[in-house]
Amino acid sequence: MTSRPADDCVAAGTTLLSVAQGRQRILEAVAADTRHEGVELSAACGRILAETVVSPIDVPPFANSAMDGYALRSDDCAAGTTRFRVIGSCYAGRPFQGTVEAGQCVRIMTGGLLPEGADAVVMQEAVQRTDDAIAIQGTAPGRGANVRYAGEDTRRGERILAAGTRLGPAEVALLASLGLAEISARRRLRVAFFSTGDELVGVGKPLAPGQIYDSNRYALHALLAHQGVEAHDLGVIADDREAVRAAFARAAELADLVITTGGVSVGEADYVTETLEEMGEINFWRMAMKPGKPLAFGRLGRAWFFGLPGNPVSVMATYYQFVLPALRKMQGQAARAPLLLPARCGETLRKAAGRTEFQRGILKPDESGGLVVFSTGEQGSHLLSSMSRANCFILLPAESTGAETGDIVSVQPFCDFA
Ligand code: AMP
Ligand code: MG
């Protein structure tokens, strides 16, 4: 680190941590909540599996047709037979009861159970049908042609989903295909949050001079909605020692995790840090990152506590870097590093050496199929419009002073598909 801006000086008794160190300390501190409960499958999306799921059945449960066509014996085809007598039909859910003998076939629909004796399906487009017979027009089907085998998707006794998996639409559908009506899920974490600041007004009310709308609580609502937690919105708390104390006490009662925004700087009306020191335990509170330098992390009763900064972009940056990994671990999800992608920088980016920057970026595909990233422009931590135009953070390391057009930079997409 060559130069360090004056405002990065560390106040007495506090520690300045890198983002990676901060995240590591947080992850070492928090533990998974192992309590679990039965959840109906229809309500299971977004929940975390408490136990590994083993398939009770083969899926598909029986060999069936992948096409609308005719089920027959491939040996007949191999022996040169091209004409087959149609002896019956088989629909999905309505099996054919007999056996297919040499020279015979059964009309079959997609999903229909492959009749006894048959081992291949010729698609209907490949045959000429007369009253009670078909003539195969093109290439004869080999053994297994257009057949979906029992257990091809999942096998009875196979481990299908590991404990700690977060269920998305595909997992819910997969569990339904196994016939499971209920799953064992980790209990939903209870997360309480509130905003602090005398200047804050709830949406839908008029603003008096000096007031602004409280956007942070809505950001947290939206961020937490993706995590399947039980959210408790405790509103706006005034910059008043007693009010902050009372809110802390209530949050500690209610929640496994408490998140506040604002009031963690060293201003005269910043009561969050001192109240946490008094009522709980504070681990650290200054991060070598921009935006989002002041950050309180600690313990409040049985709950873990995050005191995020007040500026709206700092709230989202610190949520993604610290709160989300902690939430994931507390929910029992498998650990994984944040998704970082390499992208070509589309323009010159500037920063001062000293803190890791999470600049707001617009990531796009380029002409050659790679990724290129542009800045959203002004990077003030109060600029929510810039955050909204962005689809990723551009990570510029602490020691760097920026990036040139064409440099490869690391980006962290907001939408984490991993
Ligand atoms: P603070 O950390 O309390 O000093 O706040 C830093 C900046 O963030 C100030 O400009 C606050 O007005 C602003 N701010 C704090 N809380 C919120 C909030 N909930 N919504 C929007 N802006 C906020
Ligand atoms: Mg404030």
Side-chain angles (χ1 to χ4, degrees):
M1 216 176 287
T2 43
S3 74
R4 172 180 280 259
D7 70 349
D8 261 5
C9 291
V10 179
T14 66
T15 321
L16 186 78
L17 287 182
S18 76
V19 175
Q21 284 172 321
R23 189 158 46 225
Q24 193 189 340
R25 288 197 188 184
I26 289 166
L27 288 176
E28 279 168 8
V30 303
D33 181 339
T34 54
R35 286 171 292 182
H36 51 88
E37 61 191 6
V39 175
E40 266 187 48
L41 191 58
S42 54
C45 195
R47 301 298 297 265
I48 315 294
L49 275 184
E51 287 164 13
T52 294
V53 173
V54 172
S55 180
I57 57 166
D58 281 348
V59 178
F62 49 88
N64 66 91
S65 179
M67 295 279 177
D68 291 340
Y70 296 86
L72 43 70
R73 304 163 71 108
S74 62
D75 281 355
D76 289 353
C77 300
T81 308
T82 55
R83 276 186 68 81
F84 293 81
R85 198 158 66 79
V86 183
I87 59 162
S89 53
C90 165
Y91 296 84
R94 275 192 276 149
F96 174 74
Q97 298 301 340
T99 301
V100 178
E101 306 286 356
Q104 298 180 337
C105 69
V106 164
R107 174 82 173 120
I108 192 165
M109 305 302 162
T110 306
L113 185 150
L114 194 70
E116 190 76 38
D119 65 359
V121 172
V122 56
M123 59 198 280
Q124 63 188 23
E125 291 80 358
V127 306
Q128 184 104 56
R129 170 95 194 233
T130 51
D131 280 353
D132 67 343
I134 57 164
I136 296 179
Q137 302 292 295
T139 321
R143 183 184 302 269
N146 302 316
V147 173
R148 305 193 288 212
Y149 284 105
E152 205 177 284
D153 194 0
T154 62
R155 290 215 154 273
R156 179 207 296 259
E158 189 185 342
R159 291 153 70 96
I160 303 301
L161 293 171
T165 302
R166 189 175 157 167
L167 303 178
E171 288 73 30
V172 171
L174 178 62
L175 292 166
S177 78
L178 307 179
L180 300 174
E182 195 182 282
I183 50 119
S184 173
R186 290 282 165 89
R187 211 192 55 148
R188 267 147 56 99
L189 282 185
R190 295 163 309 169
V191 182
F193 55 99
F194 57 88
S195 298
T196 68
D198 284 342
E199 74 281 30
L200 302 176
V201 176
V203 295
K205 301 196 184 100
L207 290 177
Q211 293 185 324
I212 57 168
Y213 289 115
D214 170 14
S215 55
N216 289 345
R217 235 163 5 104
Y218 290 85
L220 286 174
H221 262 293
L223 290 163
L224 292 168
H226 280 295
Q227 295 309 312
V229 302
E230 189 184 297
H232 295 269
D233 180 350
L234 303 188
V236 176
I237 306 300
D239 289 321
D240 168 270
R241 199 169 266 114
E242 280 316 310
V244 173
R245 270 192 199 133
F248 270 39
R250 191 145 167 251
E253 282 276 292
L254 264 179
D256 307 304
L257 180 65
V258 178
I259 307 172
T260 67
T261 65
V264 285
S265 320
V266 283
E268 283 178 13
D270 293 325
Y271 297 115
V272 168
T273 318
E274 85 176 44
T275 311
L276 186 63
E277 247 160 10
E278 179 193 307
M279 293 178 65
E281 214 178 280
I282 182 161
N283 291 46
F284 61 83
W285 65 289
R286 281 163 91 83
M287 304 303 307
M289 72 184 282
K290 187 178 176 186
K293 186 171 54 166
L295 180 101
F297 169 69
R299 197 103 177 129
L300 186 61
R302 285 193 318 272
W304 289 103
F305 180 94
F306 282 93
L308 306 185
N311 276 305
V313 179
S314 310
V315 168
M316 299 189 82
T318 49
Y319 175 88
Y320 282 119
Q321 304 313 317
F322 305 113
V323 183
L324 188 55
L327 255 180
R328 288 177 49 92
K329 180 162 184 198
M330 291 175 73
Q331 287 178 317
Q333 279 186 271
R336 68 173 162 74
L339 177 68
L340 296 180
L341 301 174
R344 188 166 57 77
C345 197
E347 62 188 310
T348 302
L349 303 176
R350 288 278 155 258
K351 80 180 270 291
R355 290 191 269 164
T356 300
E357 288 199 10
F358 293 80
Q359 296 199 0
R360 272 67 74 206
I362 302 168
L363 184 66
K364 307 176 181 182
D366 67 13
E367 327 71 51
S368 57
L371 291 170
V372 60
V373 69
F374 295 92
S375 168
T376 55
E378 283 299 319
Q379 293 293 311
S381 59
H382 58 302
L383 301 173
L384 273 174
S385 54
S386 156
M387 183 76 196
S388 162
R389 277 199 303 282
N391 58 8
C392 67
F393 288 120
I394 308 170
L395 265 70
L396 299 172
E399 66 281 5
S400 104
T401 53
E404 302 302 330
T405 307
D407 283 357
I408 298 298
V409 290
S410 226
V411 303
Q412 187 176 17
F414 294 158
C415 134
D416 187 345
F417 48 81

